[in-house]
Amino acid sequence: MRPHPVLLLAALLGCATAPDGGGAGVDAPAFDAAVADSDPPDTDADTGDERLDMDADGYVEGDCAETDAAIHPGAAEVCNGLDDDCDGTIDADAADARTWFADADDDAYGDESRPVLACWQPADHSLL
């Protein structure tokens, strides 16, 4: 036979300490609002910026991908569809961009005098 939920609750509450210190059980320490509201002085001479470098890449400020150590300000931009250097652009000036040449007549031979650096082949361009 299962105990009635109300009786079980009453039994559990009977074990708690009353706010005035009475009742069965162990008395809890007194609450001191002054201690609870105090903030210990900052003695470790940090910058006050408590954000963490979650990916351990050495960057917190300006890091646009805090869970990827390869992405941070100053990283080399590569052709991958991501903003590797956190400058707000994707694949701009990528280190591995290819040189494409304008191919106005679509004969697969581009004009060497009109090069374009891009990660992916622009329309009406060829590798040469």
Side-chain angles (χ1 to χ4, degrees):
M1 179 165 126
R2 292 184 358 181
H4 192 276
V6 173
L7 294 176
L8 184 58
L9 181 61
L12 289 173
L13 290 175
C15 292
T17 301
D20 64 356
V26 178
D27 288 339
F31 177 76
D32 185 348
V35 172
D37 290 338
S38 68
D39 189 14
D42 187 5
T43 58
D44 62 358
D46 63 11
T47 63
D49 187 352
E50 300 302 324
R51 296 177 295 167
L52 297 176
D53 184 10
M54 300 300 291
D55 56 8
D57 61 3
Y59 294 88
V60 173
E61 187 67 35
D63 195 343
C64 58
E66 193 50 61
T67 58
D68 188 337
I71 298 176
H72 57 80
E77 188 72 43
V78 293
C79 295
N80 59 6
L82 302 171
D83 181 10
D84 300 292
D85 59 4
C86 299
D87 68 353
T89 60
I90 295 174
D91 297 337
D93 300 320
D96 58 346
R98 299 181 77 176
T99 303
W100 301 89
F101 301 91
D103 184 9
D105 59 5
D106 286 327
D107 65 355
Y109 295 98
D111 181 353
E112 290 183 56
S113 68
R114 298 174 51 202
V116 173
L117 284 175
C119 291
W120 293 275
Q121 184 177 7
D124 299 324
H125 283 71
S126 65
L127 287 173
L128 189 63

